[in-house]
Amino acid sequence: MQGTKNNIYTVSRLNGEVRQILEGQLGKIWLNGEISNFSSPSSGHWYLTLKDHSSQIRCAMFKGRNQTVSFKPINGQQVLVKGAISVYEPRGDYQLLIESMLPAGDGLLAQQFDALKMKLAAEGLFAADTKRLLPKNIQRIGVITSPTGAAIRDVLHVLARRDPSIEVIIYPTQVQGETAAQSICQAINIANQRLEVDVLLLTRGGGSLEDLWCFNSEALAHTIYNSALPIVSAVGHEVDTTISDYVADIRAPTPSAGAELLSQDSDNKAQKLATALSRLQQSAKHYQLKQERRLSLLEHRLQRQDPKRTLQQFEQRFDEMQLRLESALSNRLHLLSRRQQLLASRLEQQSPKHKLAIEGNRLSYLASRLQDALQDKLSQSEQRIKYAAHQLETVSPLATLSRGYSITTDIHNQVVDSADKLAIGDSLQTRLRHGQVISTVTQIKPLE
């Protein structure tokens, strides 16, 4: 149970150890793919995804590295990148940390050249102890090249000038194109079958990387390595280097230099010096290749322990959070804008001016109805008053007075309608049609 507890990982520890395993096992790799989701935050780092028809991988290229890129990457662009596999620990995603980036095409050829050179070197095809020495007394040279090219003219001119006694046998072949490598291999095999020359000179003039690509064939490398005849490679100009140069027994920088190397003049020491120098250069190249591999391994080990890698992880995480924040703010602003538009529309629909217009119309309508109702009410009241006045006039005491009758009231202004309500001495007021009479009761007589 105690052992089980010791094997319990935290997520951070697991991601950290996975990152060390990936970085330690794979090392530097070349990767070809199409760019998508490219972003360049304010930090100066680049983040992108490389994809092909069915897969994709996230990539990061930090500021110190991407400043050496001669072009600005865009989505949809095919590129060739070199980098190291790592893990972005906060998210647990494995990613490629890019160190160099080239456009597809020339970059792909350069990557294929480096890969093949590393492979053949590991197989021992470049080893100095396998190189054959040139014969001391060369009588016949086999030249493998195009019979119509400039290289054969340069070779024949140099040999004629330095040692006209040397015989030359040309093994015609293609030196450019898709079938050129196969044609060169056939020429080397024919020369080995006939064994009619002392040494072979493989040569052609200079050209682009694509023009010289047939000399970077793996099949040609093995054919040169397995040749029983010593082979001198003199391909291109001094700056051009091909796989055949590494495999051949001696490399000459130009076709003319190859012819001079194989021909003797009065100063034999120059030839020996050139041979020694060529072998020294080969050894130096192989030593350099070995040291480059060792340096790459040491750089990789240093990167695994470099605190800058941890800092880059944090910088990448910061950039990721920044991009997420910008996206969230953009979405939030878009949502608030839509909400504001919706509220403005609703506010416009609920605007008081519409209600005021409706209520104004309603008020005008009610005022008109009120005016009509008041008019009707006044008319009805006027009719009722006229009718009441007529009724009042019909029953009015004044009408009775006009017919010769009078109205008598006591001191309390009460109508006297019976003698029983009076007493001797009471004051009375009698109203006639015209005027009134004040009297005092002196005698009361009952009605007979």
Side-chain angles (χ1 to χ4, degrees), residues 154-166 168 259 263:
D154 294 340
V155 169
L156 294 177
H157 176 74
V158 171
L159 293 177
R161 175 175 54 83
R162 289 174 57 84
D163 193 352
S165 64
I166 296 178
V168 176
S263 60

Side-chain angles (χ1 to χ4, degrees), residues 307-321:
K308 183 173 66 174
R309 181 61 56 81
T310 302
L311 180 60
Q312 290 173 347
Q313 292 269 342
F314 282 110
E315 289 180 349
Q316 182 176 353
R317 185 176 184 182
F318 173 78
D319 290 336
E320 180 186 10
M321 298 302 293

Side-chain angles (χ1 to χ4, degrees), residues 14 35 40 62 77-78 84 109 120 126 140 152 203 213 225 238 259 263 325 395 415 427 440:
L14 176 61
I35 294 177
S40 178
F62 297 107
Q77 184 178 15
Q78 288 285 341
L109 292 179
L120 297 178
F126 302 164
R140 190 175 290 175
I152 188 61
T203 185
W213 193 247
Y225 182 79
E238 292 185 9
S263 60
L325 178 60
V395 297
V415 175
S427 295
T440 300

Side-chain angles (χ1 to χ4, degrees), residues 185-404:
C185 291
Q186 291 175 352
I188 294 175
N189 292 331
I190 291 174
N192 278 272
Q193 291 173 2
R194 295 177 180 178
L195 293 177
E196 56 190 356
V197 296
D198 301 317
V199 65
L200 293 175
L201 176 61
L202 176 62
T203 185
R204 71 149 280 168
S208 64
L209 182 60
E210 290 84 358
D211 295 338
L212 303 179
W213 193 247
C214 60
F215 294 91
N216 295 321
S217 166
E218 183 175 359
L220 177 58
H222 285 283
T223 301
I224 295 173
Y225 182 79
N226 295 324
S227 173
L229 295 171
I231 296 180
V232 175
S233 177
V235 178
H237 301 302
E238 292 185 9
V239 295
D240 298 323
T241 303
T242 63
I243 295 296
S244 63
D245 293 334
Y246 289 103
V247 184
D249 299 295
I250 294 178
R251 185 248 177 181
T254 63
S256 297
E260 291 180 358
L261 183 65
L262 295 175
S263 60
Q264 297 182 359
D265 57 9
S266 59
D267 190 1
N268 194 34
K269 292 183 180 180
Q271 180 182 358
K272 293 182 179 180
L273 179 61
T275 303
L277 179 60
S278 178
R279 296 187 63 184
L280 178 61
Q281 289 175 344
Q282 291 290 334
S283 298
K285 289 180 180 179
H286 293 304
Y287 178 77
Q288 181 182 3
L289 178 61
K290 181 179 179 181
Q291 293 302 316
E292 287 178 352
R293 293 181 60 189
R294 185 166 181 262
L295 177 61
S296 177
L297 179 61
L298 292 176
E299 287 180 347
H300 180 65
R301 292 176 59 186
L302 178 62
Q303 288 178 356
R304 289 177 56 189
Q305 302 176 3
D306 189 358
K308 183 173 66 174
R309 181 61 56 81
T310 302
L311 180 60
Q312 290 173 347
Q313 292 269 342
F314 282 110
E315 289 180 349
Q316 182 176 353
R317 185 176 184 182
F318 173 78
D319 290 336
E320 180 186 10
M321 298 302 293
Q322 182 181 8
L323 293 174
R324 291 175 60 186
L325 178 60
E326 291 175 355
S327 177
L329 288 176
S330 177
N331 293 335
R332 183 62 178 172
L333 289 176
H334 180 69
L335 179 62
L336 291 177
S337 176
R338 291 185 58 188
R339 185 178 179 184
Q340 188 270 337
Q341 294 175 358
L342 179 60
L343 291 177
S345 176
R346 292 177 60 187
L347 180 61
E348 181 68 19
Q349 295 176 0
Q350 300 294 330
S351 177
K353 64 181 182 181
H354 296 297
K355 290 187 175 181
L356 288 175
I358 294 174
E359 294 298 329
N361 294 333
R362 183 181 178 188
L363 181 61
S364 299
Y365 172 71
L366 293 176
S368 176
R369 289 187 59 187
L370 178 61
Q371 184 67 28
D372 294 341
L374 288 176
Q375 190 66 33
D376 293 341
K377 190 68 174 177
L378 288 175
S379 178
Q380 292 176 5
S381 298
E382 183 178 357
Q383 293 295 329
R384 289 177 62 187
I385 290 173
K386 289 181 179 181
Y387 177 76
H390 176 71
Q391 293 293 327
L392 181 61
E393 185 178 355
T394 303
V395 297
S396 174
L398 296 179
T400 303
L401 294 177
S402 63
R403 293 194 299 270

Side-chain angles (χ1 to χ4, degrees), residues 15 18-19 22 57-58 86-96 313 316 320:
N15 287 344
V18 169
R19 178 178 65 83
L22 288 177
I57 182 175
R58 292 185 178 180
S86 182
V87 173
Y88 180 49
E89 296 182 25
R91 197 170 52 234
D93 291 343
Y94 92 101
Q95 61 183 359
L96 180 68
Q313 292 269 342
Q316 182 176 353
E320 180 186 10

